Amino acid sequence: MPDATHPILSKHPDWIGRGHDGQPCHYNNSDYYFNAYHPQVQQFILDLIAESMDKYPDVDGIQGDDRLPASPADSGYDSLTVARYRATHDGSLPPADFRDSLWVNWRLELLNSFVEKMYRVVKAKRVRQ
């Protein structure tokens, strides 16, 4: 778990992605994934992109690698995402198997919606510049 000095997660511990085991999603036991399904995390990223475009209008692009907006395959088991799933699935919990096709597709739709928002933010900024 990131320590209390992490600049963002120390202020927003609910922003960390959680795997099917309830543990924080990480890479190499040190790099932690933000919860890409969390609306506040998504808004933070959108605001960061917009601010970057305002401050650095000559930048040609933004590279997100495998973490923008993606999450590990076993993520989405945080309390907020589980509550969102339950609200849209008659109160059912997400499947324990993170590879379940319905669960995978539901999470992908959340990420696709986020990418659509990101696209609109970037296009709107580009038109104004």
Side-chain angles (χ1 to χ4, degrees), residues 31-73:
D31 297 323
Y32 290 87
Y33 285 86
F34 285 72
N35 180 0
Y37 312 111
H38 196 301
Q40 291 176 342
V41 170
Q42 292 179 358
Q43 190 59 53
F44 176 78
I45 291 177
L46 294 175
D47 292 345
L48 188 60
I49 289 170
E51 179 182 344
S52 299
M53 291 180 73
D54 288 341
K55 288 187 174 187
Y56 308 101
D58 294 334
V59 169
D60 290 329
I62 298 168
Q63 182 175 345
D65 286 349
D66 63 341
R67 297 186 187 197
L68 183 64
S71 280

Side-chain angles (χ1 to χ4, degrees), residues 71-117:
S71 280
D74 71 337
S75 67
Y77 290 90
D78 60 282
S79 59
L80 181 91
T81 308
V82 168
R84 291 176 71 188
Y85 182 85
R86 292 184 81 173
T88 59
H89 290 83
D90 296 324
S92 297
L93 287 170
D97 179 4
F98 62 86
R99 294 176 194 95
D100 177 89
S101 62
L102 294 174
W103 173 231
V104 169
N105 288 332
W106 183 81
R107 290 176 293 155
L108 285 173
E109 283 303 314
L110 294 178
L111 297 179
N112 285 337
S113 293
F114 173 57
V115 170
E116 289 173 15
K117 289 178 194 171

Side-chain angles (χ1 to χ4, degrees), residues 1-4 9 13-14 16-18 23-24 26 29-30 32:
M1 183 70 175
D3 64 28
L9 292 176
D14 60 315
I16 195 161
R18 297 240 172 229
Q23 297 301 309
H26 60 83
N29 291 321
S30 62
Y32 290 87

